[in-house]
Structures are given as structure tokens and as C-alpha cells.
Amino acid sequence: MNYLTSKLNKTFLFLTMLLGCCLNSQAGNRDSLALTPPMGFMTWNKYGEDINEQLIRQIADKMAADGYADAGYQYIFIDDAWQGGRDKRNNIIPDPVKFPSGMKALADYVHSRGLKLGIYSDAAPLTCAGYTASYNFEEQDAKTFAEWGMDYLKYDYCHAPSDSAVAHERYKRMGDALEKSGRKIALGVCEWGQLNPELWARQAGGSLWRISYDVRDMWKDIVKQGGMGILDIIDITEPLYSFAGPGHWNDMDMLVVGLEGKGGPSSDLGGIGCTYTEYQTQMSMWCMFASPLAMSHDILNENAATRRILLNKEIIAINQDALGKAARLVQRIGECRVYHRQLTNNRQAIAIMNPSDKAQRISLPLSFLGKSAKYDFRDVWEHKNTSVKKAWEGKLEAHETKVFVVTEK
């Protein structure tokens, strides 16, 4: 009996290890779909339900012609409200008025511009906006998305049970369906972080997972109606740095840079707009934390200040660094916070953020960087180099973030 019990225990242990290896292998296969954080344009914050194929084509033309594709913004993410129900064979179809040419023709057009196309659905019968979703049609819809030529699926969680095990199961069903679809389609898990997706979303097939409720066009939430400002999402993301890495990312939601309080859904729940100092801080910290970068402003009518932030290749290079290490909080000096991120080629990135409402002057000792007697500081926003010895000293305006790439001298 002892021998049998021992044998069963060893068998159970072996099967558990085998299952774990299979899950890790599946996650590893999916990781290759997003070795660096995906970058692109998402329709929701600016346009909401007011989308159509002409708009998507115009955005593709703009991104290809005006430097966004060259800067690394590969995707156009079509969010909710594209659906037109199901046909007599239960195939999901696009709204024939908004997308009269069909999704395959649209994907072909976007691909011809050197870009990729993403689509949206939900792990329930209906989406957040009340349109047809994919629950119980996972394999059929995944096959349809593949036939259309989609490269990404944002998979929401409205109208679904608020249970972590159920969420894991529903996302895994779609992750498995995408795996079998015959096309490489990255899965964005949009569960809003309430059920700890950082613990299971990668195993479910996700390349990234939302870690907060929807971002609003504001510095921080002061109306307390459920909206999330830039600072609120930074606070939530701080402790999750260890879950990010090549192929699996903490998604901090869309960039609100340039919306100026004129967006659609982003203007709800206190979204009155931000200063460009605050927008620059969002870009800085999204890049430091290795979040996906999804623009959401009026890209067809943008200003120079917005382009300066979104097209800064030095800050983008931090976001896209192949090492895939997310920044972590290493110091607090007065009101200011200091974040550190390891980069390739023995380089380091630091961000010094002033979340307070008043300017701050600080002296930052550099002992956390190592034992070098001197460092070269590259200011990625000012595009200037400075030699620094024992401490960095400077002034930060209210809500400002300074970012440096640091190398030993």
C-alpha cells in the first residue's frame, strides 16, 4: 500500500510538472507574437462608436506617411462597434454600413501600408457597447478573424462573471482558438486588472493584459466616479514590474496624449484634459514600465506638441528595449519618485517624477546605479548629454518627469 501510494504520488507529481511544462511551452509560443510592447493607434478614446472603413484607411495613410510607422507604431486597433451581428451560418460579420467593403479588404489595405490590423471582441454574448461578441463562438470567430487577416484581438470582459477562474477559462478558450486559427494573432486581455490577470493571462494565451480600469483624459481621479487618471494608473502599475517581459506585458491602457479634453469616452468621469507636461509624463512612464503604446488622439488633426511627444524615438527606444525589463520604484526624495530600468548593452534608464502640484528641487545620490565614479546622462526629452558624478541635481515642475539613459564613463 505504501508502495502504491508512493507510486501514485510520483505519478501525480510528474503529471503536474508535465502540465506546467505544457502551459509554459504554450505561453512561450505565444510570447513570440509580441517580443516588445505593441505600438499603434486605438480608435476608442477619440472616436468611440463613430468608426468606419474610410476612417481606418485615412489613419493608415497618416501613420505610413507621417513617421508613425517608422517610429514603431505598427498597429491600428479597431475597438468596439464594428460588428453587424451574425449571418445565417453564425459567422460574425462587420456592420455593412460602416464597413461596406468588408474586413478582409480593409486588412489588405492596412497591410499594404506596412501596418498591422487589430480587431475587438468580448468574452461574453455582448460587448461593452452592446454589440455581438464571441462567447461560445471562440473557434468560429478566431477562424473568421484569421481569414480576414487580423493580427491582434483586444478581448474585453464586459457582461462576464467576476470570478478569476472563469475569466482564466474564458480567455484560454479564445487563446487556444487563436492558436488553432492558422494565423498569428496576438491576444490582448482586457479584464481591467480586477481579477489579477498578471497571475494567469499569459498562460491563457495573452500577450498583454490590462491592469486598470479605462484611462481618462486627466492627471488623476478627483471626482471618484470610477475613472482612472495618469497618476492613478502609474500607482497601480508600480508593484507589477516583475510580471512584464518579452512577449508578456502589463497594459496601462491607451495614451491620452493630445486629446485635450476633446475625446469621446476619454472625456467621461472627469476627463477634462491634461497639460502637455502631464502628457509627457504619461509617455515617459508608459515607456519606463514597458507598457503597450496605443495612441488615441485626433491623429488626422494633430498639433506639433503632440507629435513631439509621440514621435520621440529616444523615449520609444526605452519602451522597445529588447531586454524587456520594466522599471521599478527605487527611491523617494521628498515628493519626487525615482524609477530605474535596466537596458541592453549595460545601459540604465531612470525616470524622476514629480507627482506633486508644486515644483520641486532635488539632489539624487547615484549609488543605486553602481560604483562608477562618473556617469553620462542622456536627457531623452532635451536630447542632451551631461556628465554626473555623485548626485544629479535639478528642478522638476509640477507633474513633470525627467528621463535619462545612463551609461558609465
Side-chain angles (χ1 to χ4, degrees):
M1 187 69 175
N2 288 338
Y3 170 79
L4 180 59
T5 301
S6 175
K7 190 77 171 177
L8 289 172
N9 286 339
K10 289 180 180 179
T11 301
F12 177 76
L13 179 61
F14 172 76
L15 291 173
T16 301
M17 293 175 63
L18 182 63
L19 177 60
C21 288
C22 290
L23 289 174
N24 288 331
S25 176
Q26 289 173 351
N29 291 337
R30 299 289 296 172
D31 281 352
S32 66
L33 300 181
L35 291 176
T36 59
M39 297 172 57
F41 181 91
M42 188 167 285
T43 60
W44 186 252
N45 266 352
K46 172 59 183 174
Y47 300 107
E49 298 181 42
D50 188 18
I51 56 174
N52 56 64
E53 66 179 46
Q54 182 181 3
L55 173 67
I56 303 304
R57 288 171 184 255
Q58 290 174 329
I59 292 171
D61 292 342
K62 172 77 171 183
M63 290 175 64
D66 276 16
Y68 283 105
D70 290 341
Y73 294 94
Q74 286 189 308
Y75 289 91
I76 297 177
F77 307 104
I78 299 175
D79 212 293
D80 205 352
W82 61 267
Q83 306 89 333
R86 295 188 180 275
D87 65 17
K88 61 184 180 181
R89 296 182 179 178
N90 278 330
N91 293 310
I92 197 165
I93 56 174
D95 184 313
V97 175
K98 295 179 179 179
F99 299 92
S101 301
M103 284 299 182
K104 187 179 187 311
L106 183 59
D108 288 345
Y109 186 88
V110 171
H111 292 156
S112 76
R113 294 298 182 265
L115 300 167
K116 297 180 179 181
L117 190 59
I119 199 74
Y120 168 98
S121 194
D122 191 295
L126 296 176
T127 67
C128 296
Y131 293 84
T132 302
S134 295
Y135 181 59
N136 283 332
F137 291 92
E138 291 85 358
E139 288 198 15
Q140 189 169 356
D141 288 358
K143 183 179 179 182
T144 297
F145 299 151
E147 290 172 349
W148 288 345
M150 294 298 164
D151 305 292
Y152 180 99
L153 172 64
K154 176 181 176 180
Y155 206 42
D156 224 329
Y157 202 64
C158 287
H159 314 299
S162 56
D163 179 272
S164 185
V166 173
H168 186 175
E169 185 271 334
R170 290 196 180 191
Y171 278 100
K172 189 175 186 307
R173 284 172 64 177
M174 181 53 82
D176 291 345
L178 293 174
E179 187 80 16
K180 295 188 294 185
S181 72
R183 184 175 177 82
K184 294 181 178 179
I185 302 175
L187 175 62
V189 173
C190 187
E191 176 279 321
W192 327 302
Q194 308 310 300
L195 302 178
N196 302 112
E198 68 276 5
L199 300 178
W200 52 261
R202 185 185 178 199
Q203 285 71 33
S207 296
L208 52 137
W209 45 85
R210 282 276 301 280
I211 47 82
S212 75
Y213 288 126
D214 291 359
V215 66
R216 304 296 175 181
D217 188 10
M218 60 187 177
W219 172 242
K220 63 181 178 181
D221 178 23
I222 60 174
V223 299
K224 305 303 178 184
Q225 295 179 7
M228 303 293 290
I230 293 169
L231 185 59
D232 304 308
I233 294 177
I234 290 171
D235 290 342
I236 288 172
T237 309
E238 279 181 3
L240 301 177
Y241 65 90
S242 64
F243 294 100
H248 47 99
W249 310 104
N250 295 314
D251 182 2
M252 300 168 72
D253 202 12
M254 287 167 268
L255 295 169
V256 294
V257 177
L259 278 168
E260 297 184 335
K262 302 173 185 176
S266 67
S267 296
D268 296 338
L269 306 178
I272 59 174
C274 298
T275 68
Y276 277 85
T277 296
E278 293 163 348
Y279 286 145
Q280 183 169 300
T281 284
Q282 187 193 28
M283 185 69 172
S284 296
M285 296 310 302
W286 265 234
C287 288
M288 286 292 291
F289 283 136
S291 173
L293 303 178
M295 304 179 291
S296 63
H297 65 298
D298 185 359
I299 193 171
L300 303 179
N301 300 284
E302 60 190 359
N303 59 27
T306 298
R307 289 179 58 81
R308 183 189 71 84
I309 293 172
L310 294 174
L311 288 172
N312 183 335
K313 293 186 178 182
E314 293 192 50
I315 193 68
I316 290 172
I318 294 175
N319 177 264
Q320 295 289 295
D321 186 78
L323 195 60
K325 294 280 188 180
R328 61 189 182 93
L329 179 66
V330 293
Q331 286 193 42
R332 293 178 183 267
I333 299 179
E335 295 287 336
C336 294
R337 308 176 192 177
V338 181
Y339 300 88
H340 175 262
R341 175 173 177 174
Q342 193 67 43
L343 302 176
T344 53
N345 300 320
N346 295 316
R347 297 169 304 132
Q348 304 175 72
I350 62 171
I352 308 167
M353 182 179 73
N354 175 16
S356 75
D357 297 335
K358 295 182 179 180
Q360 303 287 323
R361 183 170 293 278
I362 71 166
S363 177
L364 171 63
L366 303 183
S367 56
F368 69 93
L369 291 175
K371 298 181 180 180
S372 179
K374 186 182 293 186
Y375 294 94
D376 181 77
F377 271 46
R378 173 69 175 178
D379 187 322
V380 305
W381 289 110
E382 296 296 328
H383 308 298
K384 295 178 180 178
N385 290 67
T386 307
S387 291
V388 183
K389 292 184 178 180
K390 294 183 179 180
W392 177 87
E393 296 183 354
K395 179 183 178 182
L396 289 91
E397 300 298 330
H399 306 167
E400 182 183 10
T401 299
K402 293 185 179 292
V403 182
F404 303 96
V405 172
V406 181
T407 54
E408 294 185 10
K409 294 194 73 173

